[in-house]
Amino acid sequence: MLSLYYYPGNASLLPHMMLREIGAEFELRLVDRGQDAQKSPDYLKLNPSGRIPVLIDGDLVLFETAAIVLHLADRFPESGLAPALGTAERSEFYKWIIHLTNTPQTEFRAWFYPHEHVTDEAAAPTVKDAARERLDRMFDVISAQLGDKTWLLGERFSAADLFLFMLVRWGRGMPRPPRSIPNLNALAERVLARPAVQKALEAEGLRAPIF
Ligand SMILES: N[C@@H](CCC(=O)N[C@@H](CS)C(=O)NCC(=O)O)C(=O)O
């Protein structure tokens, strides 16, 4: 049995959407951020960083969203959420998962949690502003790479598109939201139209406007 520790709209949304795409049997376990449950002793045993998500797969306890993505893609190859091993497409897939996790996803931490990056709280707004500028540039780079392709890998949908969808969603409160970039908006709309994605959003209680 698979269990996903989640909070609505958090990084857990990505593996949640994958589990729905796969059609796997799984349970959702809410981490109550209102109570700081991600910092509770029980949760820290699962993820010592105190961050969401965690996936339990039998005896395996996995934290780090990108690791969970790669694990699920390998565990359910028939889902087609990643190209076949050993292909050039698979390497492109790795590129995107790693780029999205360690470039924009990491930058979003500075945007959402600027106080973590300062010793003087008064400086937090400038950290947020600088994160916004970097995120704007990052989304421009992703948009240029995507071009007029349907999905990040071209004609083939993959978990990387779910990842990008989640990040576009996270940027909805930015002065220049990523959805204002036409090809990013079009990709996010295509992802949003997928029945599995609709189910995940509904289960997390996320309603329009989604991004
Ligand atoms: N690198 C981690 C980052 C996870 C992360 O930052 N999760 C956020 C929610 S999106 C979180 O747990 N925030 C609450 C906190 O840091 O206390 C991953 O990808 O799993």
Side-chain angles (χ1 to χ4, degrees):
M1 174 58 128
L2 294 153
S3 304
L4 178 67
Y5 285 79
Y6 85 107
Y7 187 82
N10 280 197
S12 43
L13 178 60
L14 173 54
H16 184 188
M17 292 186 290
M18 287 183 75
L19 288 163
R20 303 265 174 195
E21 288 279 351
I22 291 163
E25 212 179 301
F26 68 98
E27 62 174 11
L28 286 173
R29 295 193 184 161
L30 180 69
V31 184
D32 187 355
R33 285 192 57 178
Q35 303 290 324
D36 256 354
Q38 75 277 19
K39 308 292 184 215
S40 68
D42 280 350
Y43 190 80
L44 291 176
K45 281 185 205 146
L46 304 174
N47 183 355
S49 305
R51 293 182 183 180
I52 300 162
V54 164
L55 180 82
I56 310 280
D57 184 356
D59 291 336
L60 181 70
V61 179
L62 213 51
F63 58 83
E64 283 302 335
T65 309
I68 297 171
V69 167
L70 298 176
H71 172 72
L72 288 175
D74 286 350
R75 173 98 148 68
F76 299 97
E78 66 287 352
S79 69
L81 288 171
L85 274 172
T87 61
E89 260 191 326
R90 179 74 168 209
S91 306
E92 294 276 342
F93 173 74
Y94 290 145
K95 176 190 78 182
W96 279 115
I97 296 299
I98 290 164
H99 179 72
L100 294 176
T101 198
N102 74 7
T103 308
Q105 187 194 354
T106 303
E107 201 61 67
F108 266 118
R109 259 214 81 101
W111 164 259
F112 284 121
Y113 309 82
H115 55 277
E116 285 181 349
H117 298 256
V118 295
T119 48
D120 172 6
E121 195 63 35
T126 61
V127 166
K128 196 171 170 76
D129 224 36
R132 176 190 57 71
E133 279 179 16
R134 287 190 297 268
L135 277 164
D136 281 351
R137 285 199 299 274
M138 288 171 189
F139 280 113
D140 284 338
V141 166
I142 296 168
S143 166
Q145 288 280 306
L146 176 63
D148 59 7
K149 296 199 291 284
T150 308
W151 306 112
L152 282 170
L153 298 182
E155 288 310 304
R156 176 189 224 294
F157 170 74
S158 75
D161 302 300
L162 296 172
F163 205 150
L164 182 52
F165 167 80
M166 183 178 77
L167 298 177
V168 168
R169 176 168 195 278
W170 285 1
R172 69 199 182 285
M174 294 173 66
R176 192 198 68 163
R179 68 160 183 274
S180 63
I181 304 175
N183 62 350
L184 296 186
N185 183 60
L187 181 138
E189 289 286 2
R190 282 190 284 277
V191 172
L192 183 62
R194 297 179 73 84
V197 171
Q198 288 290 328
K199 275 192 207 138
L201 294 171
E202 196 186 311
E204 296 198 10
L206 302 173
R207 292 189 185 81
I210 293 296
F211 51 86

